[in-house]
């Protein structure tokens, strides 16, 4: 059974940091691009970041460049999102995803709340 | 950045009716467009990829069409479980983007 399980979300003050983790089971990520997508409460979807299988290429949406870092540990079948300098507008459910069509698997998400 | 504009924002229909959802891109995305369904509290679910292809397990009542800048998702005969929010999504170029969503609600 395919599972992507995100963790690491929580309440953080503006300017703070969080590190999200995504533990994958049911398939091996080592040859796959992996992604993070977010959704603010009651809002639409935003594609946050992509990372190449070997980690050599990373892409970020403009508003998180320089603040967020995506990484992976293929040996542990896991993907990470380091979020620094968090802003109120970063508050969202963050989903980890494998999205190489037609294969498309998402976790259930982890909630990040940014508030003082 | 490619902007995707979905219409209508809300669509009110009854079970058994046909639903037609539109997505327009600000520039050509060729066929690098997908449709997702999302229900409250759930992750998005891929319905259509590369504009007109259905993944295994997606019912045949869902179909997609279009290329370039204009795309359509058609649900042939609505079932009760189809009432949800639908998003189009392009991956023609980075940053990948989504439309703002169409809410399909029960009339």
């Amino acid at each position: 059974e395919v599972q992507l399980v995100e963790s690491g979300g929580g309440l953080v003050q503006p300017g703070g940091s969080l590190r999200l983790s995504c533990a994958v089971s049911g398939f091996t990520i080592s040859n796959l691009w992996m992604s993070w997508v977010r959704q603010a409460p009651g809002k639409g979807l935003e594609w946050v970041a992509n990372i190449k299988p070997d980690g050599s290429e990373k892409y970020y949406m403009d508003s998180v460049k320089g603040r967020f870092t995506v990484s992976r540990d293929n040996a542990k079948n896991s993907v990470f999102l380091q979020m620094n300098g968090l802003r109120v507008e970063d508050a969202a459910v963050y989903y980890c995803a494998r999205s190489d069509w037609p294969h498309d698997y998402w976790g259930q998400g982890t909630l990040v709340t940014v508030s003082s | 950045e490619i902007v995707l504009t979905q219409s209508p924002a809300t669509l009110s229909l009854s079970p058994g009716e046909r639903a037609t959802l539109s997505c327009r891109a600000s520039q050509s995305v060729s066929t690098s467009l997908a449709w997702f369904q999302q229900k409250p509290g759930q992750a998005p679910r891929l319905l259509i990829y590369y504009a007109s292809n259905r993944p295994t397990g997606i019912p045949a009542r869902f179909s997609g069409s279009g290329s370039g800048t204009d795309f359509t998702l058609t649900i042939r005969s609505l079932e009760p479980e189809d009432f949800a929010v639908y998003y189009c999504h392009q991956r023609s170029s980075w940053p990948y983007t989504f439309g703002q969503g169409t809410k399909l609600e029960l009339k």
Side-chain angles (χ1 to χ4, degrees):
Chain A
E1 181 191 8
V2 171
Q3 280 195 308
L4 294 84
V5 180
E6 302 94 338
S7 60
L11 174 62
V12 62
Q13 292 186 338
S17 298
L18 281 175
R19 186 180 191 235
L20 307 184
S21 299
C22 172
V24 178
S25 58
F27 63 89
T28 302
I29 72 168
S30 58
N31 294 319
L32 299 168
W33 285 81
M34 295 297 293
S35 305
W36 288 94
V37 180
R38 72 183 183 184
Q39 186 170 36
K43 302 297 184 183
L45 298 161
E46 293 184 304
W47 205 283
V48 175
N50 276 357
I51 182 168
K52 195 175 179 180
D54 64 0
S56 62
E57 292 182 34
K58 304 174 184 181
Y59 297 90
Y60 301 94
M61 61 183 296
D62 283 349
S63 64
V64 309
K65 280 180 188 174
R67 301 187 298 122
F68 288 14
T69 302
V70 60
S71 62
R72 61 195 295 156
D73 185 337
N74 288 339
K76 295 184 177 179
N77 227 34
S78 296
V79 186
F80 307 97
L81 186 67
Q82 177 68 43
M83 305 187 295
N84 299 331
L86 281 160
R87 304 169 180 169
V88 170
E89 56 266 31
D90 294 320
V93 173
Y94 284 73
Y95 295 101
C96 171
R98 167 195 173 182
S99 186
D100 56 318
W101 303 336
H103 308 290
D104 195 84
Y105 303 104
W106 297 54
Q108 282 305 299
T110 187
L111 178 63
V112 172
T113 303
V114 185
S115 174
S116 53
Chain B
E1 173 176 315
I2 296 175
V3 176
L4 299 178
T5 302
Q6 292 186 239
S7 62
T10 304
L11 187 56
S12 301
L13 293 170
S14 300
E17 291 192 290
R18 180 187 186 98
T20 303
L21 288 68
S22 295
C23 177
R24 176 163 289 178
S26 59
Q27 62 191 77
S28 176
V29 300
S30 184
T31 56
S32 295
L33 186 117
W35 290 92
F36 287 86
Q37 177 193 67
Q38 189 178 32
K39 297 180 179 179
Q42 296 185 15
R45 174 194 182 198
L46 180 68
L47 295 177
I48 299 289
Y49 66 98
Y50 290 127
S52 60
N53 298 277
R54 265 182 292 109
T56 302
I58 300 301
R61 65 180 180 274
F62 293 94
S63 64
S65 63
S67 66
T69 61
D70 289 295
F71 300 86
T72 301
L73 173 70
T74 302
I75 311 172
R76 192 174 60 226
S77 177
L78 285 165
E79 298 287 342
E81 62 267 27
D82 298 337
F83 293 92
V85 179
Y86 292 82
Y87 294 95
C88 59
H89 160 63
Q90 70 81 23
R91 57 180 56 180
S92 172
S93 64
W94 189 261
Y96 294 171
T97 51
F98 290 91
Q100 82 280 14
T102 289
K103 182 179 181 181
L104 179 56
E105 66 175 21
L106 197 55
K107 186 173 182 180

